[in-house]
Amino acid sequence: MTPWAVVLLVTLLPACGLISGATGQSSDYEPLGCRDRQMCCSGRDSSCVVSEFHPNSIIEDLDTNRTIRCYCDESCLTLGDCCHDLRSYCGVQDCIVSAWGNWSTCSSACGVGKMSRRRQVLQEASNGGRLCPALLQSRACFNTECTKRHEYREVAALLPAVFGTARHNNDSKDIRHNLLLRYPKDPAEESSREYCSFFQITKAAKRCQLETWSSIFKDSVRVCVECQKGAMKNNLGFRCKGQGLLNTETRWSAMLANGCHGKWILTSRELDCRCPQSDSQSFIFV
């Protein structure tokens, strides 16, 4: 190698050391960003772009791989092509929430219920930041602490009042009924009295209209339901299942009418009464 060639090689080495890789990017080069262009755009805006050539690239070569492009609009947070200083310069802030609180008590002490827990927003999202996640969680729960005070959770099963006479058709001929008369009855049963409950319908399924006798179940209709001795349950304290509590919304279901069910409110109760069997708005507890 000639002396003049050695001198030329030594002269070029420092300049070559400034080039990094095939792109010709300086090792200490920092690309332009939103602050340099003073851009912060809302939504999706393709014109909100920072574009430049690497400082040591050959301008005549229009290869797109030598071009830096980044965006300063909110959409880039989803697409992942934001400029490096978008968050700091444009004030992008993700939503921040607290840890979950404790689970609430079960909504039902008798049977299936629901419990929930919440968390709070510590800082709202701003300038396109990540939105807040769900703040409420719910899950099912089940309890078995069933007492008389939970009778309003029972579902009343109903039939037209005309079926009430069938309970007494075989009182004198049914051998099982006659055999039971030989045994002393529970004092609570002896003291129990038949009664009528008056309800106002608050909700009824549309399928109730498919049967003639159940078509009476409509919103705001008042019905009379008779609790006869044959329907009283000894495990419920010799009362009818689903009798409800005064001024409390409970549930009912019409027997022999598939899909006919709904809600009602007990408005009053009378002892030793009979619902008119000829009345289409009279029923019996099953």
Side-chain angles (χ1 to χ4, degrees), residues 158-159 204-215 217 252-262:
L158 308 177
L159 278 176
K206 292 183 178 180
R207 294 186 64 89
C208 294
Q209 305 305 310
L210 300 180
E211 298 288 342
T212 302
W213 76 270
S214 63
S215 61
F217 291 113
W252 56 267
S253 177
M255 306 296 291
L256 307 180
N258 188 28
C260 180
H261 53 82

Side-chain angles (χ1 to χ4, degrees), residues 62-108:
L62 299 180
D63 183 0
T64 57
N65 290 331
R66 296 179 178 272
T67 304
I68 301 174
R69 285 192 180 88
C70 63
Y71 294 84
C72 299
D73 60 344
E74 294 178 356
S75 182
C76 74
L77 293 163
T78 303
L79 300 176
D81 53 3
C82 300
C83 293
H84 67 92
D85 61 348
L86 173 77
R87 289 183 176 272
S88 59
Y89 179 68
C90 297
V92 175
Q93 178 63 55
D94 295 335
C95 174
I96 301 177
V97 296
S98 65
W100 287 107
N102 296 327
W103 287 101
S104 65
T105 57
C106 189
S107 62
S108 173

Side-chain angles (χ1 to χ4, degrees), residues 138-159:
S138 299
R139 68 182 183 187
C141 52
F142 185 84
N143 277 326
T144 57
E145 300 175 4
C146 301
T147 63
K148 290 182 181 179
R149 65 188 178 89
H150 298 108
E151 63 189 38
Y152 63 94
R153 299 192 183 278
E154 300 166 358
V155 179
L158 308 177
L159 278 176

Side-chain angles (χ1 to χ4, degrees), residues 93-97 121-126 129-133 135:
Q93 178 63 55
D94 295 335
C95 174
I96 301 177
V97 296
V121 176
L122 301 180
Q123 180 170 287
E124 295 283 357
S126 61
R130 190 179 296 110
L131 299 178
C132 296
L135 302 177

Side-chain angles (χ1 to χ4, degrees), residues 174-187:
D174 190 343
I175 186 172
R176 293 170 301 175
H177 177 77
N178 293 331
L179 287 174
L180 287 174
L181 293 178
R182 296 177 179 269
Y183 297 90
K185 291 187 176 182
D186 191 313

